[in-house]
Amino acid sequence: MTFTVIIPARLASTRLPDKPLADIAGKPMVVRVAERAALSGASRVVVATDHADILAACEAHGVQARMTRADHPSGTDRIAEVAAAMQLAPDAVVVNVQGDEPLIDPGLIAATAALIGADVPMATAAHPIGSAEDAFNPNVVKVVLDKAGRALYFSRATIPWHRDGFARDASVRDAGALPDGYRPLRHIGLYAFSNAFLQAYPGLAQSPLERIEALEQLRVLWHGYPIAVHLTPDAPASGVDTPEDLARVRLHFAQGNAKN
């Protein structure tokens, strides 16, 4: 399948200033992300940014980048602007890869892109949760699927709730184990779109559920659009949100664990 990866990259970050430009083994983080995305088989990888410093850093390393407006409310809106400027066809597949994922699995990008079709305008990914700590953590977003592998709902709550399993063992949350056979799914923040839907997305009104859960993807379900979900057995490498995350990724590259 032919697809384009667009990486939204804002310079501002509360917990890690100038995050996209953070050095990782001699290259800015956003460049490392673009290099990983290129391994997915994407026909083109483009960084969508609101800052000239990020544009210059990408160009210095041979990564295509485009400037966007600074007032976009989300990364999805930002990549929609770039996809429109690139004049991509309505049926073109666009993948939103976050700019703080320098260890993202290229195969995961390709597998998520492959789910887009005539009746599937949006796709994402998930993996089974193996610990009670993650199952009960509101910062770990959960997703429930239908039999076709499409999202029924996303939540910060523990869904589906294993009524009998939790009733039998009220201490499961503290014990760090989950009921036998119960594996809720953790949502992975990777998105693919048909370009037609990507262009329509900024015009969709916010939904009450989206505001309550603070989960942008609930807007899509609220308006009746399906989201296909690629299931991967293992948790992907985590992104960079804090100085500690950055140190971990730098160590990963220093030890020669990355190919770029």
Side-chain angles (χ1 to χ4, degrees):
M1 165 178 278
T2 300
F3 61 93
T4 297
V5 170
I6 304 181
I7 303 168
R10 293 175 61 249
L11 191 66
S13 174
T14 303
R15 289 183 287 181
L16 191 60
D18 299 343
K19 182 167 65 170
L21 299 178
D23 180 84
I24 299 176
K27 295 180 181 179
M29 177 163 59
V30 69
V31 171
R32 290 293 184 187
V33 176
E35 290 176 338
R36 292 295 290 173
L39 296 175
S40 69
S43 60
R44 191 182 305 182
V45 176
V46 182
V47 172
T49 183
D50 65 345
H51 203 283
D53 287 353
I54 297 176
L55 180 73
C58 289
E59 291 177 343
H61 290 275
V63 173
Q64 185 179 356
R66 287 178 177 252
M67 290 293 294
T68 69
R69 303 196 328 257
D71 61 347
H72 285 300
S74 73
T76 307
D77 296 271
R78 192 174 306 282
I79 71 167
E81 178 187 341
V82 168
M86 293 172 65
Q87 298 183 329
L88 297 179
D91 62 349
V93 177
V94 180
V95 183
N96 180 348
V97 174
Q98 300 301 314
D100 57 3
E101 299 279 352
L103 300 179
I104 190 166
D105 177 8
L108 187 61
I109 297 173
T112 303
L115 294 178
I116 300 299
D119 61 341
V120 179
M122 182 173 171
T124 188
H127 73 86
I129 292 173
S131 72
E133 179 182 3
D134 284 345
F136 287 96
N137 184 347
N139 294 317
V140 174
V141 177
K142 275 69 69 174
V143 60
V144 173
L145 310 183
D146 67 13
K147 68 177 183 179
R150 297 181 181 182
L152 288 170
Y153 192 68
F154 297 86
S155 182
R156 297 182 182 279
T158 308
I159 59 171
W161 181 258
H162 197 310
R163 186 197 65 172
D164 294 340
F166 292 145
R168 283 194 303 268
D169 185 0
S171 66
V172 67
R173 180 172 180 171
D174 298 324
L178 293 170
D180 289 343
Y182 172 67
R183 289 294 179 270
L185 299 175
R186 174 186 172 233
H187 175 234
I188 299 169
L190 171 71
Y191 298 100
F193 307 87
S194 70
N195 187 41
F197 180 70
L198 180 61
Q199 299 307 317
Y201 175 86
L204 297 178
Q206 269 196 339
S207 73
L209 294 175
E210 174 187 1
R211 289 191 289 269
I212 291 170
E213 295 257 20
L215 295 175
E216 181 184 338
Q217 61 271 35
L218 289 174
R219 183 185 315 181
V220 178
L221 297 182
W222 175 264
H223 286 279
Y225 295 97
I227 302 176
V229 181
H230 170 71
L231 287 182
T232 182
D234 302 312
S238 57
V240 176
D241 289 319
T242 66
E244 292 76 18
D245 293 335
L246 181 59
R248 171 182 47 79
V249 171
R250 283 171 169 167
L251 179 61
H252 182 94
F253 275 83
Q255 292 176 336
N257 293 324
K259 293 181 180 180
N260 295 334

